Coordinates of all heavy atoms in Angstrom, one line a residue:
I10 N 95.9 79.5 69.8 CA 96.7 80.1 70.9 C 95.8 81.1 71.7 O 95.1 81.9 71.1 CB 97.9 80.9 70.3 CG1 98.9 79.9 69.6 CG2 98.7 81.6 71.4 CD1 100.0 80.5 68.9
F11 N 95.9 81.0 73.0 CA 95.2 81.8 73.9 C 96.2 82.6 74.8 O 97.3 82.3 74.8 CB 94.2 81.0 74.8 CG 93.2 80.3 74.0 CD1 93.4 79.1 73.5 CD2 92.0 81.0 73.7 CE1 92.4 78.5 72.7 CE2 91.0 80.4 72.9 CZ 91.2 79.1 72.5
A12 N 95.6 83.6 75.5 CA 96.5 84.5 76.2 C 95.9 84.9 77.5 O 94.7 84.8 77.7 CB 96.8 85.8 75.4
T13 N 96.8 85.3 78.4 CA 96.3 86.0 79.7 C 96.9 87.4 79.6 O 97.8 87.7 78.9 CB 96.8 85.3 80.9 OG1 98.2 85.3 80.9 CG2 96.3 83.9 81.0
V14 N 96.3 88.4 80.4 CA 96.7 89.8 80.4 C 97.1 90.1 81.9 O 96.3 89.8 82.8 CB 95.5 90.7 80.0 CG1 96.0 92.1 80.1 CG2 95.1 90.3 78.6
G15 N 98.3 90.6 82.0 CA 98.7 91.0 83.4 C 100.0 91.6 83.5 O 100.8 91.7 82.5
V16 N 100.3 92.1 84.7 CA 101.6 92.7 85.0 C 102.3 91.9 86.1 O 101.7 91.8 87.2 CB 101.4 94.2 85.4 CG1 102.7 94.8 85.8 CG2 100.7 95.0 84.3
H17 N 103.5 91.4 85.8 CA 104.2 90.7 86.9 C 104.6 91.7 88.0 O 104.8 92.9 87.8 CB 105.5 90.2 86.2 CG 106.3 89.2 87.1 ND1 107.1 89.7 88.1 CD2 106.3 87.9 87.2 CE1 107.6 88.6 88.7 NE2 107.1 87.5 88.2
P18 N 104.6 91.2 89.3 CA 104.9 92.1 90.4 C 106.2 92.9 90.2 O 106.2 94.0 90.7 CB 105.0 91.1 91.6 CG 104.3 89.9 91.2 CD 104.3 89.8 89.7
H19 N 107.2 92.3 89.6 CA 108.4 93.1 89.5 C 108.2 94.4 88.6 O 109.0 95.3 88.7 CB 109.5 92.2 88.8 CG 110.0 91.1 89.7 ND1 110.9 90.2 89.2 CD2 109.8 90.8 91.0 CE1 111.3 89.4 90.2 NE2 110.5 89.7 91.3
E20 N 107.2 94.4 87.8 CA 107.0 95.5 86.9 C 105.9 96.5 87.4 O 105.6 97.4 86.7 CB 106.6 95.0 85.5 CG 107.6 94.0 84.9 CD 109.0 94.5 84.9 OE1 109.2 95.7 84.5 OE2 110.0 93.7 85.1
S21 N 105.4 96.2 88.6 CA 104.3 97.0 89.1 C 104.6 98.5 89.2 O 103.8 99.4 88.9 CB 104.0 96.6 90.6 OG 103.5 95.3 90.6
Q22 N 105.9 98.9 89.4 CA 106.3 100.3 89.6 C 106.2 101.0 88.2 O 106.1 102.2 88.1 CB 107.7 100.3 90.2 CG 108.2 101.7 90.3 CD 109.5 101.7 91.1 OE1 109.6 101.3 92.2 NE2 110.6 102.2 90.4
E23 N 106.4 100.2 87.1 CA 106.5 100.8 85.8 C 105.2 100.8 85.0 O 105.2 101.0 83.8 CB 107.6 99.9 85.0 CG 108.9 99.9 85.7 CD 109.6 101.2 85.8 OE1 109.4 102.1 84.9 OE2 110.3 101.4 86.9
T24 N 104.1 100.5 85.7 CA 102.8 100.4 84.9 C 101.9 101.4 85.4 O 102.2 102.4 86.1 CB 102.3 98.9 85.1 OG1 101.2 98.8 84.2 CG2 101.8 98.7 86.5
L25 N 100.6 101.3 84.9 CA 99.6 102.2 85.2 C 99.2 102.2 86.7 O 99.4 101.2 87.4 CB 98.3 101.9 84.4 CG 98.6 101.9 82.9 CD1 97.4 101.2 82.2 CD2 98.8 103.3 82.3
Q26 N 98.5 103.3 87.1 CA 98.0 103.3 88.5 C 96.8 102.4 88.5 O 96.2 102.0 87.5 CB 97.6 104.8 88.9 CG 98.8 105.7 88.9 CD 99.8 105.3 90.0 OE1 99.4 105.0 91.1 NE2 101.0 105.2 89.6
E27 N 96.3 102.1 89.7 CA 95.3 101.1 90.0 C 94.0 101.2 89.1 O 93.6 100.3 88.4 CB 94.9 101.1 91.4 CG 94.0 99.9 91.8 CD 93.8 99.8 93.3 OE1 94.6 100.3 94.1 OE2 92.8 99.2 93.7
K28 N 93.4 102.4 89.0 CA 92.2 102.6 88.3 C 92.4 102.5 86.8 O 91.7 101.9 86.0 CB 91.5 103.9 88.6 CG 90.9 104.0 90.0 CD 90.3 105.3 90.2 CE 89.7 105.3 91.6 NZ 89.1 106.7 91.9
E29 N 93.5 103.1 86.3 CA 93.9 103.0 84.9 C 94.3 101.5 84.5 O 93.9 101.1 83.4 CB 95.0 103.9 84.5 CG 94.7 105.4 84.6 CD 94.7 105.9 86.1 OE1 95.3 105.3 86.9 OE2 94.2 107.0 86.3
L30 N 94.9 100.8 85.4 CA 95.3 99.5 85.1 C 94.1 98.6 85.0 O 93.9 97.7 84.1 CB 96.2 98.9 86.2 CG 96.7 97.5 86.0 CD1 97.4 97.2 84.7 CD2 97.7 97.1 87.2
F31 N 93.1 98.8 85.9 CA 91.8 98.1 85.9 C 91.2 98.3 84.5 O 90.7 97.3 83.9 CB 90.9 98.5 87.0 CG 89.5 98.0 86.9 CD1 89.2 96.7 87.3 CD2 88.5 98.8 86.4 CE1 87.9 96.2 87.2 CE2 87.2 98.3 86.3 CZ 86.9 97.0 86.7
A32 N 91.1 99.5 84.1 CA 90.4 99.8 82.8 C 91.2 99.1 81.7 O 90.5 98.6 80.8 CB 90.4 101.3 82.6
F33 N 92.5 99.2 81.7 CA 93.3 98.5 80.6 C 93.0 97.0 80.6 O 92.8 96.4 79.6 CB 94.8 98.8 80.9 CG 95.6 98.0 80.0 CD1 95.9 98.3 78.7 CD2 96.3 96.8 80.5 CE1 96.7 97.5 77.8 CE2 97.1 96.1 79.7 CZ 97.3 96.4 78.3
L34 N 93.1 96.4 81.8 CA 92.9 95.0 81.9 C 91.5 94.5 81.4 O 91.4 93.6 80.6 CB 93.1 94.5 83.3 CG 94.5 94.6 83.9 CD1 94.5 94.4 85.4 CD2 95.5 93.7 83.2
T35 N 90.5 95.2 81.8 CA 89.1 94.8 81.4 C 88.9 95.1 79.9 O 88.2 94.3 79.3 CB 88.0 95.5 82.3 OG1 88.3 97.0 82.2 CG2 88.1 95.1 83.7
R36 N 89.5 96.1 79.4 CA 89.4 96.4 78.0 C 90.1 95.3 77.2 O 89.5 94.7 76.2 CB 90.0 97.8 77.6 CG 89.8 98.1 76.2 CD 90.4 99.5 75.9 NE 91.8 99.6 76.1 CZ 92.4 100.3 77.1 NH1 91.6 101.0 77.9 NH2 93.7 100.4 77.2
E37 N 91.3 94.9 77.6 CA 92.0 93.9 76.8 C 91.4 92.5 77.0 O 91.5 91.7 76.1 CB 93.5 93.8 77.3 CG 94.3 95.1 77.0 CD 94.4 95.4 75.5 OE1 94.7 94.5 74.7 OE2 94.1 96.5 75.2
A38 N 90.7 92.3 78.1 CA 90.0 91.0 78.3 C 88.8 90.7 77.4 O 88.4 89.6 77.3 CB 89.6 90.9 79.8
S39 N 88.4 91.8 76.7 CA 87.3 91.6 75.7 C 87.7 90.9 74.5 O 86.9 90.4 73.7 CB 86.7 93.0 75.4 OG 87.6 93.7 74.6
H40 N 89.0 90.7 74.3 CA 89.5 90.0 73.1 C 89.1 88.5 73.3 O 89.3 87.9 74.4 CB 91.0 90.1 73.0 CG 91.5 89.5 71.7 ND1 91.7 88.2 71.5 CD2 91.9 90.2 70.6 CE1 92.1 88.0 70.2 NE2 92.3 89.2 69.7
P41 N 88.6 87.9 72.3 CA 88.1 86.5 72.5 C 89.2 85.5 72.8 O 88.9 84.4 73.3 CB 87.5 86.1 71.1 CG 88.0 87.2 70.2 CD 88.3 88.4 71.0
K42 N 90.5 85.8 72.6 CA 91.6 84.8 72.9 C 92.1 85.0 74.3 O 92.9 84.2 74.7 CB 92.7 85.0 71.9 CG 92.3 84.6 70.5 CD 92.3 83.1 70.4 CE 92.2 82.6 68.9 NZ 92.4 81.2 68.8
V43 N 91.6 86.0 75.0 CA 92.1 86.2 76.4 C 91.3 85.4 77.3 O 90.0 85.5 77.4 CB 92.0 87.7 76.8 CG1 92.3 87.9 78.3 CG2 93.0 88.5 76.0
V44 N 91.9 84.5 78.1 CA 91.3 83.5 78.9 C 91.5 83.7 80.4 O 91.0 82.9 81.3 CB 91.6 82.1 78.5 CG1 91.2 81.8 77.1 CG2 93.1 81.8 78.7
G45 N 92.2 84.8 80.8 CA 92.4 85.0 82.2 C 93.4 86.2 82.5 O 93.8 86.9 81.5
F46 N 93.7 86.5 83.7 CA 94.5 87.6 84.1 C 95.8 87.0 84.8 O 95.7 86.1 85.7 CB 93.8 88.6 85.0 CG 92.7 89.2 84.3 CD1 91.4 88.8 84.5 CD2 93.0 90.3 83.5 CE1 90.4 89.5 83.8 CE2 92.0 91.0 82.9 CZ 90.6 90.6 83.0
G47 N 96.9 87.6 84.6 CA 98.1 87.3 85.3 C 99.2 87.1 84.3 O 99.1 87.3 83.1
E48 N 100.3 86.8 84.8 CA 100.7 86.5 86.1 C 100.8 87.7 87.0 O 101.5 88.6 86.6 CB 102.0 85.7 86.1 CG 102.6 85.4 87.3 CD 103.9 84.6 87.2 OE1 104.2 84.0 86.1 OE2 104.6 84.5 88.2
T49 N 100.2 87.8 88.1 CA 100.2 88.9 89.0 C 100.3 88.4 90.4 O 100.2 87.3 90.7 CB 99.0 89.8 88.8 OG1 99.1 91.0 89.6 CG2 97.7 89.1 89.2
G50 N 100.5 89.3 91.3 CA 100.6 89.0 92.7 C 101.6 89.8 93.5 O 101.8 91.0 93.2
L51 N 102.3 89.1 94.4 CA 103.3 89.8 95.3 C 104.6 89.1 95.3 O 104.6 87.9 95.4 CB 102.7 89.9 96.7 CG 101.4 90.5 96.9 CD1 100.9 90.4 98.3 CD2 101.4 92.0 96.4
D52 N 105.7 89.8 95.1 CA 107.0 89.2 95.1 C 107.9 90.1 95.9 O 108.4 91.2 95.3 CB 107.5 89.0 93.7 CG 108.8 88.1 93.7 OD1 109.6 88.2 94.7 OD2 109.0 87.4 92.7
Y53 N 108.2 89.8 97.1 CA 109.0 90.7 98.0 C 110.5 90.1 98.1 O 111.3 90.6 98.8 CB 108.4 90.8 99.4 CG 107.1 91.4 99.4 CD1 106.2 91.1 100.4 CD2 106.6 92.3 98.4 CE1 104.9 91.7 100.5 CE2 105.4 92.8 98.4 CZ 104.5 92.5 99.5 OH 103.2 93.1 99.5
Y54 N 110.8 89.1 97.3 CA 112.1 88.5 97.4 C 113.2 89.5 96.8 O 114.2 89.7 97.4 CB 112.2 87.2 96.6 CG 113.5 86.5 96.7 CD1 113.7 85.8 97.9 CD2 114.4 86.5 95.7 CE1 114.9 85.1 98.0 CE2 115.6 85.8 95.8 CZ 115.8 85.1 97.0 OH 117.0 84.4 97.2
Y55 N 112.9 90.1 95.7 CA 113.7 91.1 95.1 C 113.0 92.5 95.3 O 111.8 92.5 95.2 CB 114.0 90.9 93.6 CG 114.7 89.6 93.3 CD1 114.1 88.6 92.7 CD2 116.1 89.5 93.6 CE1 114.8 87.4 92.4 CE2 116.8 88.3 93.3 CZ 116.1 87.3 92.8 OH 116.8 86.1 92.5
A56 N 113.7 93.5 95.4 CA 113.1 94.9 95.5 C 112.9 95.6 94.2 O 113.3 96.7 94.1 CB 113.9 95.7 96.5
H57 N 112.3 94.9 93.2 CA 112.1 95.6 91.9 C 111.0 96.6 91.9 O 111.1 97.6 91.2 CB 111.8 94.5 90.8 CG 113.0 93.6 90.6 ND1 114.2 94.0 90.1 CD2 113.1 92.2 90.7 CE1 115.0 93.0 89.9 NE2 114.4 91.9 90.3
S58 N 110.0 96.4 92.7 CA 108.9 97.4 92.9 C 108.5 97.5 94.3 O 108.5 96.5 95.0 CB 107.7 96.9 92.0 OG 107.9 97.1 90.7
P59 N 108.2 98.7 94.8 CA 107.8 98.8 96.2 C 106.5 98.0 96.5 O 105.7 97.8 95.7 CB 107.4 100.3 96.3 CG 108.1 101.0 95.2 CD 108.2 99.9 94.1
K60 N 106.4 97.6 97.7 CA 105.3 96.7 98.2 C 103.9 97.4 97.8 O 103.0 96.8 97.4 CB 105.4 96.4 99.7 CG 106.5 95.5 100.0 CD 106.6 95.2 101.5 CE 107.7 94.2 101.8 NZ 107.8 93.9 103.2
E61 N 103.8 98.8 98.1 CA 102.6 99.5 97.9 C 102.2 99.4 96.4 O 101.0 99.2 96.1 CB 102.7 100.9 98.3 CG 103.3 101.2 99.6 CD 104.9 101.2 99.6 OE1 105.5 101.8 98.7 OE2 105.4 100.5 100.4
E62 N 103.1 99.5 95.5 CA 102.8 99.4 94.1 C 102.4 98.0 93.7 O 101.4 97.8 92.9 CB 104.0 99.8 93.3 CG 104.5 101.2 93.5 CD 103.5 102.2 92.9 OE1 102.8 101.9 91.9 OE2 103.6 103.4 93.3
Q63 N 103.0 97.0 94.3 CA 102.6 95.6 94.0 C 101.2 95.3 94.5 O 100.4 94.7 93.8 CB 103.6 94.6 94.6 CG 105.0 94.6 94.1 CD 105.8 93.6 94.6 OE1 105.4 92.4 94.8 NE2 107.1 93.9 94.9
V64 N 100.8 95.8 95.7 CA 99.5 95.6 96.3 C 98.5 96.3 95.4 O 97.4 95.7 95.1 CB 99.5 96.1 97.7 CG1 98.0 96.1 98.2 CG2 100.4 95.2 98.6
S65 N 98.7 97.5 95.0 CA 97.8 98.3 94.1 C 97.6 97.5 92.8 O 96.4 97.4 92.4 CB 98.4 99.7 93.9 OG 97.5 100.4 93.1
S66 N 98.6 97.1 92.2 CA 98.5 96.3 90.9 C 97.7 95.0 91.1 O 96.9 94.7 90.3 CB 99.9 96.0 90.4 OG 99.8 95.2 89.2
F67 N 98.0 94.3 92.2 CA 97.3 93.1 92.5 C 95.8 93.3 92.7 O 95.0 92.6 92.2 CB 98.0 92.4 93.7 CG 97.6 91.0 94.0 CD1 97.2 90.1 93.0 CD2 97.7 90.5 95.3 CE1 96.9 88.8 93.2 CE2 97.3 89.2 95.5 CZ 97.0 88.3 94.5
K68 N 95.5 94.4 93.4 CA 94.1 94.7 93.6 C 93.4 95.0 92.3 O 92.3 94.5 92.0 CB 94.0 95.9 94.5 CG 94.2 95.7 95.9 CD 94.0 97.0 96.7 CE 94.3 96.8 98.2 NZ 94.2 98.1 99.0
A69 N 94.1 95.7 91.4 CA 93.5 96.0 90.1 C 93.2 94.7 89.3 O 92.2 94.5 88.7 CB 94.4 96.9 89.2
H70 N 94.1 93.7 89.4 CA 94.0 92.5 88.7 C 92.9 91.7 89.3 O 92.1 91.0 88.6 CB 95.3 91.6 88.8 CG 96.3 92.1 87.9 ND1 97.1 93.2 88.1 CD2 96.8 91.6 86.7 CE1 98.0 93.3 87.2 NE2 97.8 92.4 86.3
I71 N 92.7 91.6 90.6 CA 91.7 90.9 91.3 C 90.3 91.5 90.9 O 89.4 90.7 90.5 CB 91.8 91.0 92.8 CG1 93.1 90.2 93.2 CG2 90.6 90.4 93.6 CD1 93.5 90.4 94.7
E72 N 90.2 92.8 90.9 CA 88.9 93.5 90.5 C 88.6 93.2 89.1 O 87.4 92.9 88.7 CB 89.0 95.0 90.8 CG 89.0 95.3 92.3 CD 87.8 94.9 93.0 OE1 86.7 95.0 92.5 OE2 87.9 94.5 94.2
A73 N 89.6 93.2 88.2 CA 89.3 92.9 86.8 C 88.9 91.5 86.6 O 87.9 91.2 85.8 CB 90.6 93.2 86.0
A74 N 89.5 90.5 87.3 CA 89.1 89.1 87.2 C 87.7 88.9 87.7 O 86.9 88.2 87.1 CB 90.1 88.3 88.0
L75 N 87.3 89.6 88.8 CA 85.9 89.5 89.2 C 84.9 90.1 88.3 O 83.9 89.6 88.0 CB 85.8 90.2 90.6 CG 86.5 89.5 91.8 CD1 86.5 90.4 93.0 CD2 85.8 88.1 92.1
E76 N 85.3 91.3 87.8 CA 84.4 92.0 86.8 C 84.2 91.2 85.5 O 83.1 91.1 85.0 CB 85.0 93.3 86.5 CG 84.3 94.1 85.4 CD 83.0 94.8 86.0 OE1 82.9 95.0 87.2 OE2 82.2 95.1 85.1
C77 N 85.2 90.6 85.0 CA 85.1 89.8 83.8 C 84.9 88.3 83.9 O 84.7 87.6 83.0 CB 86.5 90.0 83.0 SG 86.8 91.7 82.6
N78 N 84.8 87.9 85.2 CA 84.5 86.5 85.5 C 85.6 85.6 84.8 O 85.2 84.6 84.2 CB 83.1 86.1 85.1 CG 82.7 84.8 85.8 OD1 83.1 84.5 86.8 ND2 81.8 84.0 85.1
L79 N 86.8 86.0 84.9 CA 87.9 85.2 84.4 C 88.9 84.8 85.5 O 89.0 85.5 86.5 CB 88.7 86.0 83.3 CG 88.0 86.3 82.0 CD1 88.8 87.3 81.2 CD2 87.7 85.0 81.3
P80 N 89.6 83.7 85.3 CA 90.6 83.2 86.3 C 91.8 84.2 86.5 O 92.1 85.0 85.6 CB 91.0 81.8 85.9 CG 90.7 81.8 84.4 CD 89.6 82.8 84.2
L81 N 92.4 84.1 87.6 CA 93.6 84.9 88.0 C 94.7 83.9 88.3 O 94.6 83.0 89.1 CB 93.2 85.7 89.2 CG 94.2 86.7 89.7 CD1 94.4 87.8 88.7 CD2 93.8 87.3 91.1
I82 N 95.9 84.2 87.6 CA 97.1 83.4 87.8 C 97.9 84.2 88.8 O 98.3 85.4 88.5 CB 97.9 83.3 86.5 CG1 97.0 82.5 85.5 CG2 99.2 82.5 86.8 CD1 97.6 82.6 84.1
V83 N 98.1 83.7 90.0 CA 98.8 84.4 91.1 C 100.2 84.0 91.2 O 100.6 82.8 91.3 CB 98.0 84.1 92.4 CG1 98.7 84.8 93.6 CG2 96.6 84.6 92.3
H84 N 101.1 85.0 91.3 CA 102.5 84.8 91.6 C 102.7 85.3 93.0 O 102.3 86.4 93.4 CB 103.3 85.7 90.6 CG 104.8 85.7 90.9 ND1 105.7 84.9 90.3 CD2 105.5 86.5 91.8 CE1 106.9 85.2 90.8 NE2 106.8 86.1 91.7
T85 N 103.4 84.4 93.8 CA 103.7 84.9 95.2 C 105.0 84.3 95.6 O 105.4 83.2 95.3 CB 102.6 84.4 96.2 OG1 102.9 84.9 97.5 CG2 102.4 82.9 96.2
R86 N 105.8 85.2 96.2 CA 107.1 84.8 96.7 C 107.5 85.7 97.9 O 107.5 87.0 97.7 CB 108.1 84.9 95.6 CG 109.5 84.5 95.9 CD 110.4 84.5 94.7 NE 111.7 84.0 95.1 CZ 112.7 83.9 94.3 NH1 112.6 84.4 93.1 NH2 113.9 83.5 94.7
D87 N 107.9 85.2 99.0 CA 108.3 85.9 100.2 C 107.3 87.0 100.5 O 107.7 88.1 100.8 CB 109.7 86.4 100.0 CG 110.7 85.2 100.2 OD1 110.3 84.2 100.7 OD2 111.8 85.5 99.8

């Protein structure tokens, strides 16, 4: 069994700030069973998290994926 590490856009408001999230994601990606990041992205259909928080979280995931050279699973809706 393998895993990805990420924060769904609906939960962006309830998670770490961008720099702390980046550190968390890259640290967790060191586990040999972690094969990517996500599901992350932007979801403006429901107002579960403000757009600014979603964008910040998405940026942290993108930077972590680049840093760790792992794929990114993108969620996008409206």
Side-chain angles (χ1 to χ4, degrees):
I10 295 175
F11 294 91
T13 60
V14 179
V16 178
H17 190 279
H19 288 178
E20 306 304 322
S21 299
Q22 181 173 297
E23 304 298 325
T24 192
L25 303 168
Q26 296 300 311
E27 191 172 335
K28 289 181 182 180
E29 292 83 13
L30 180 57
F31 170 82
F33 169 79
L34 293 169
T35 54
R36 183 177 64 248
E37 295 302 310
S39 67
H40 190 285
K42 293 284 190 171
V43 172
V44 296
F46 294 99
E48 172 179 347
T49 185
L51 306 172
D52 189 331
Y53 301 154
Y54 187 77
Y55 297 109
H57 292 298
S58 287
K60 291 180 180 182
E61 312 82 50
E62 297 289 336
Q63 292 187 44
V64 170
S65 178
S66 176
F67 194 25
K68 285 180 182 179
H70 284 78
I71 293 168
E72 292 297 324
L75 291 170
E76 176 74 21
C77 297
N78 196 33
L79 289 173
L81 184 68
I82 301 166
V83 177
H84 173 96
T85 183
R86 182 173 183 187
D87 287 343

